[in-house]
Amino acid sequence: MTIQREERPWGYYEILTTDAMTQIKKIVVHEMQQLSLQTHEQRDEYWFCSSGTGLVTIDDAEVSFTAGETLQILRGEKHRVKSLSGDLTFYEVQVGSYLGEDDIVRYEDNYGRA
């Protein structure tokens, strides 16, 4: 099995498996880096934190995210994650009718991609 790895300014992700309605990624966010504030129209996401400490924004709420915790992000919810201490590693299970990266709508981004 070949794992597809994509480098990003905040860290990287690896696509572990994909089928018609599901994709699983390992995501690593480097310390004090964060993903863009974004939504998805065609998928829900389920996150499981395996290491590190992060802060997750979902709409107007902020919640801590540490090893062993899970989160559900429904389509249309604005969300982002920031690593607070070392690298934050989590697994993202995407479920939906379309799983492409072009389903991302960015609202804020530290790297000029919004």
Side-chain angles (χ1 to χ4, degrees), residues 57-85:
T57 302
I58 301 175
D59 287 332
D60 295 327
E62 290 188 332
V63 295
S64 66
F65 193 42
T66 60
E69 295 183 331
T70 61
L71 290 171
Q72 176 184 31
I73 299 160
L74 301 175
R75 60 195 79 197
E77 290 183 320
K78 284 186 181 177
H79 63 281
R80 77 172 357 154
V81 61
K82 179 178 184 176
S83 176
L84 299 177
S85 175

Side-chain angles (χ1 to χ4, degrees), residues 46-110:
Y46 302 88
W47 293 359
F48 172 78
C49 184
S50 62
S51 66
T53 302
L55 181 67
V56 176
T57 302
I58 301 175
D59 287 332
D60 295 327
E62 290 188 332
V63 295
S64 66
F65 193 42
T66 60
E69 295 183 331
T70 61
L71 290 171
Q72 176 184 31
I73 299 160
L74 301 175
R75 60 195 79 197
E77 290 183 320
K78 284 186 181 177
H79 63 281
R80 77 172 357 154
V81 61
K82 179 178 184 176
S83 176
L84 299 177
S85 175
D87 283 354
L88 174 69
T89 302
F90 65 99
Y91 291 83
E92 175 182 271
V93 178
Q94 302 173 351
V95 179
S97 60
Y98 181 74
L99 306 171
E101 286 297 301
D102 57 348
D103 185 39
I104 296 173
V105 177
R106 290 186 174 92
Y107 301 92
E108 296 175 13
D109 183 72
N110 292 1

Side-chain angles (χ1 to χ4, degrees), residues 38-54:
Q38 59 188 265
T39 58
H40 308 285
E41 295 297 318
Q42 300 181 60
R43 70 177 186 242
D44 299 322
E45 296 179 346
Y46 302 88
W47 293 359
F48 172 78
C49 184
S50 62
S51 66
T53 302

